[in-house]
Amino acid sequence: MATLGMNAAEREAVEAFRRDVVEPSMTSLIILDFWAEWCGPCKQLGPILEKVAAAYADKGVKLVKVDVDKDKFIAAQFRVQSIPTVYAMFQGQPVADLTSARTEAQVSAALDQLLAQLPIQGDAQNLEAEIEPLIAMGEQVLGEGDAERAASIFQQIVDMAPDNAEALAGLARALTAAGRVEEARALLAEVPEKLANDPAIARAQSALALAEIAPAADTAALEARVTADPDDHRARYDLAGALMAQGNRDAAADQLLDSIARDREWNEGAARARFLQILEATGIEDPWTSAQRRRLSAILFG
C-alpha cells in the first residue's frame, strides 16, 4: 500500500498492517479476520479461527484480527462489504478467501490444502525437512538387512518427532525385522488415534502380522514337500511364510504366485491374500511391489 497522500492516521494503520501482516506473511500463512464487536456471526467464527490457528501455529499459521470499526482504512483497501470476511495471506498477497469456511473442519481442510501448496516455514515444516533424510537413511539401512541399526535410527527420529507416522512405522518394521515382535506390537498399540489410518502405519501392521503368523522356520522340509508334490498348496503357503520371515521376499512371492496359478481358489484364496499382505508390508510405492502386482495380474487376467 502506497502512503502518498495519506493522513497521519492512515499512514500509521498501513505501517501497523505491514508490521503485523505483510512482514510475517513472507514466511508464514496469515489468517486475516475482518470483524466487529457488534457482529454476531463474527463472534461465532472468531473462537473457531483462534482454535484452529493455535493448532496450526507450529505449521506457520498466524491469526490477525482486523476490527473494521477501528481500522476502516485497511478494511476499505480490501473492499470489505460484509463481515465476517476472512482471507489467507502469503507473501503480502491474499491467496484464498476463507469466508465460506465456518466450521473447524472446513477451516482446517482449507489450511491443509494451502499448506500443501505453499512454501510456509513453520517449526513443523523445518522439523520435517530435518528428519526427512534421517528417515531415508533408516529405510536404506533396513533395506540392507541391518534391522537393529535401523531401529536405532528410527528411535532417534521418534524421539525428535513422536507423532511422525513414517518414523513410528519405520521403527515398528525395524523391530519386527529384528525379531523384537513384542516391542513392535506395543509400539503400534500406542500409536495416536489420528495416525491410526496412515498408510505407513498400515504397512507396519502388515509386517507385524506377517511375522506373527509366519515365524522363521527351516525351509528344507517344506521345499522337499513342494518338490515331491507341486500341488501341495499348504506346503507352498507355509514355505512362503518361512521365506518371508527370512527376508527372502522374492522366493516367497514366487511360491505364492505359483500356488495362485495352479489353484487360485485354494483355501478360499489364502495364497492370494498372503501375497497381497506381503505387498502391503513392502509398501505400495515400492518398485518391487509394482512389479509383483503386474505378475499377479498376468496370472489372474492373462
Side-chain angles (χ1 to χ4, degrees), residues 160-180:
M160 296 168 61
D163 289 340
N164 185 282
E166 289 189 36
L168 288 167
L171 177 56
R173 289 188 292 109
L175 291 171
T176 300
R180 297 158 63 181

Side-chain angles (χ1 to χ4, degrees), residues 43-57:
K43 291 184 177 181
Q44 294 178 338
L45 181 60
I48 293 174
L49 295 177
E50 292 169 6
K51 181 178 180 181
V52 174
Y56 280 71

Side-chain angles (χ1 to χ4, degrees), residues 74 95 97 132 135 139 152 160 165 191 200 248-249 286 296:
I74 298 300
V95 292
D97 186 343
E132 186 175 342
I135 290 177
E139 291 291 353
S152 177
M160 296 168 61
V191 166
N248 193 345
R249 64 183 182 180
D286 192 296
L296 177 61

Side-chain angles (χ1 to χ4, degrees), residues 29-201:
L29 185 66
I30 305 299
I31 302 175
L32 192 60
D33 177 25
F34 291 94
W35 73 294
E37 186 63 39
W38 47 264
C39 171
C42 298
K43 291 184 177 181
Q44 294 178 338
L45 181 60
I48 293 174
L49 295 177
E50 292 169 6
K51 181 178 180 181
V52 174
Y56 280 71
D58 67 332
K59 297 181 180 180
V61 175
K62 299 178 181 179
L63 173 65
V64 176
K65 300 176 73 67
V66 177
D67 188 328
V68 297
D69 290 332
K70 296 179 180 179
D71 293 307
K72 291 185 176 67
F73 182 75
I74 298 300
Q77 299 303 303
F78 280 85
R79 294 182 172 83
V80 174
Q81 297 180 345
S82 63
I83 53 174
T85 291
V86 184
Y87 291 116
M89 301 279 294
F90 181 62
Q91 294 185 344
Q93 300 295 324
V95 292
D97 186 343
L98 305 181
T99 305
S100 62
R102 296 301 177 92
T103 68
E104 184 178 339
Q106 289 172 341
V107 176
S108 297
L111 292 180
D112 287 339
Q113 185 174 11
L114 289 169
L115 291 170
Q117 298 171 347
L118 301 172
I120 308 299
Q121 297 178 18
D123 291 341
Q125 290 90 337
N126 293 335
L127 178 59
E128 184 176 351
E130 182 179 350
I131 67 176
E132 186 175 342
L134 297 178
I135 290 177
M137 180 190 301
E139 291 291 353
Q140 179 179 346
V141 171
L142 182 57
E144 293 171 350
D146 193 342
E148 288 292 351
R149 183 176 169 226
S152 177
I153 294 171
F154 282 119
Q155 182 63 66
Q156 293 179 44
I157 302 171
V158 170
D159 291 341
M160 296 168 61
D163 289 340
N164 185 282
E166 289 189 36
L168 288 167
L171 177 56
R173 289 188 292 109
L175 291 171
T176 300
R180 297 158 63 181
V181 174
E182 291 295 334
E183 293 177 62
R185 185 186 299 112
L187 175 67
L188 291 174
E190 295 176 359
V191 166
E193 185 176 351
K194 63 182 180 180
L195 302 179
N197 295 324
D198 190 281
I201 300 299

Side-chain angles (χ1 to χ4, degrees), residues 251-283:
D254 289 344
Q255 292 298 331
L256 292 172
L257 287 171
D258 200 347
S259 179
I260 294 169
R262 290 172 179 275
D263 183 359
R264 68 184 64 177
E265 301 302 328
W266 173 78
N267 196 18
E268 299 181 346
R272 181 179 178 183
R274 174 65 62 85
F275 182 78
L276 294 176
Q277 192 175 30
I278 290 176
L279 299 190
E280 185 176 14
T282 302

